[in-house]
Amino acid sequence: MVKNLKAEDRLMMMNKCGFARIGAVVGAVCTMLVLSANAHADQSDWVQGYDNKARLIAMAKPREGSNAAYAAGLEIQMSPGFKTYWRSPGEAGGVPPEFDWTGSDNLASAQVLYPAPHRLIDKAGANIGYKDHVIFPVEITPQDPSKPVKLHLKAVYGVCKNICIPAEVEMEFEVSDKTEIDAELTSALAGVPKLLDVAEKKSGSTAPVLDSWRIEKRDSKAMLVMDVAGEGAEGDVFLFSDEGIYLPMTNKVKPNLFEADLTDAGDLKDLAGKKIWVTMVGTKGQSETLISLPEDIAKP
């Protein structure tokens, strides 16, 4: 069942979307996808948009150690060559995904997880995200475990090639202990970086791990230097902060060694004591580690 929008509502949505910039390329198109659907047991109907379609899928067993009851997922299928973004879009700009679960029933919490992303290079610069297809797993905790959870999702994400088009989708989907297991969602969960420390790495994990890190002062610069073990020749490292600060892309200076110029993030005083997620993607797995920047990072 598709919700009909009044003319003034459509105009308001277009004004809300406005312009999205990727590098020097500007797009002024807003995709309005508004749907409320329940299909069969393990997925909703596809919602068709401009060069993409999206649906909710469920379910899978949550990650080991999670307190969630179920895992659902937002699946986005894009036309060949199109991309969407990780939680940090990268240095060329972009539209990171946003998820709003207002209107859900029997939902205590919904934690969106991000599969290991890729470094995407084009004329506009470097981005972090996914090409052609991605599933964002969502770990679901019900208020009452004996009852189904009705998910009501409003999501906004960028669909980009030469221009970036913000897509807005709204859909509903019910999950319970009777919902069928989805193999693709299970695979997407396996691609989410795990918290991993050096001790766990030595215990036999094949995923890359942050062996050590430090801040090096070079003239007026503050370089975050990271020694990453086990990422392989094609490995990469990405930075993100839950505290709303911009973090630069990393550079691979030699095998197992990455660095990022934190002065590109702005005033170093604003970085003092901030927590940063270091996400490592390797040829044999992916992991992440949370570090805290030193309080004296702004000192010469």
Side-chain angles (χ1 to χ4, degrees):
M1 179 177 65
V2 179
K3 289 184 180 179
N4 293 319
L5 294 180
K6 297 179 181 179
E8 58 266 30
D9 294 330
R10 290 196 297 268
L11 180 60
M12 180 179 68
M13 189 177 289
M14 292 177 68
N15 290 334
K16 176 184 176 182
C17 289
F19 293 85
R21 182 173 71 88
I22 296 185
V25 183
V26 178
V29 181
C30 175
T31 305
M32 294 174 291
L33 310 174
V34 184
L35 182 80
S36 175
N38 275 316
H40 57 81
D42 59 355
Q43 64 191 42
S44 73
D45 290 330
W46 284 107
V47 184
Q48 186 66 51
Y50 179 83
D51 278 302
N52 83 101
K53 58 183 180 179
R55 67 178 177 179
L56 281 170
I57 60 175
M59 73 173 188
K61 294 180 180 179
R63 297 171 298 169
E64 185 178 350
S66 171
N67 293 322
Y70 317 118
L74 174 64
E75 181 175 13
I76 303 172
Q77 180 71 55
M78 294 162 280
S79 298
F82 279 75
K83 63 189 174 188
T84 194
Y85 296 99
W86 190 52
R87 53 188 179 176
S88 173
E91 66 185 17
V95 183
E98 297 180 8
F99 305 89
D100 181 0
W101 303 98
T102 303
S104 298
D105 290 336
N106 193 35
L107 178 65
S109 67
Q111 182 183 1
V112 178
L113 307 175
Y114 293 82
H118 306 282
R119 186 180 298 242
L120 307 174
I121 308 294
D122 57 25
K123 293 180 181 179
N127 286 114
I128 310 171
Y130 315 91
K131 268 193 172 182
D132 301 337
H133 176 264
V134 65
I135 295 174
F136 294 106
V138 185
E139 291 187 331
I140 305 297
T141 302
Q143 293 176 338
D144 183 346
S146 67
K147 297 179 180 179
V149 177
K150 187 180 78 173
L151 298 176
H152 185 105
L153 171 63
K154 294 180 181 178
V156 178
Y157 53 92
V159 179
C160 309
K161 193 173 184 181
N162 297 321
I163 61 172
C164 187
I165 300 155
E168 184 166 341
V169 62
E170 181 176 356
M171 60 182 77
E172 290 181 349
F173 186 59
E174 186 175 282
V175 293
S176 71
D177 57 6
K178 296 181 176 60
T179 307
E180 297 177 18
I181 297 292
D182 186 279
E184 284 191 291
L185 179 55
T186 300
S187 177
L189 272 166
V192 174
K194 299 178 181 179
L195 279 171
L196 188 66
D197 60 23
V198 175
E200 290 173 305
K201 172 68 178 178
K202 290 179 179 178
S203 70
S205 172
T206 59
V209 66
L210 184 62
D211 228 344
S212 63
W213 66 276
R214 63 190 181 276
I215 300 294
E216 287 187 5
K217 297 297 180 69
R218 303 175 190 169
D219 299 326
S220 60
K221 297 182 180 297
M223 306 298 297
L224 173 61
V225 181
M226 295 158 286
D227 187 356
V228 178
E231 95 290 351
E234 303 300 322
D236 214 334
V237 173
F238 306 102
L239 305 177
F240 175 76
S241 173
D242 292 311
E243 301 184 63
I245 57 176
Y246 167 78
L247 292 168
M249 301 283 287
T250 66
N251 295 311
K252 191 172 188 175
V253 294
K254 61 181 182 180
N256 300 331
L257 193 66
F258 294 79
E259 63 182 28
D261 184 0
L262 294 181
T263 52
D264 289 343
D267 192 334
L268 289 178
K269 293 180 181 178
D270 295 334
L271 297 181
K274 297 294 186 184
K275 296 184 182 300
I276 292 178
W277 288 102
V278 180
T279 298
M280 294 150 285
V281 181
T283 55
K284 296 182 179 180
Q286 51 279 321
S287 74
E288 60 185 7
T289 300
L290 187 64
I291 65 174
S292 296
L293 296 178
E295 294 288 348
D296 63 351
I297 189 173
K299 290 185 178 180

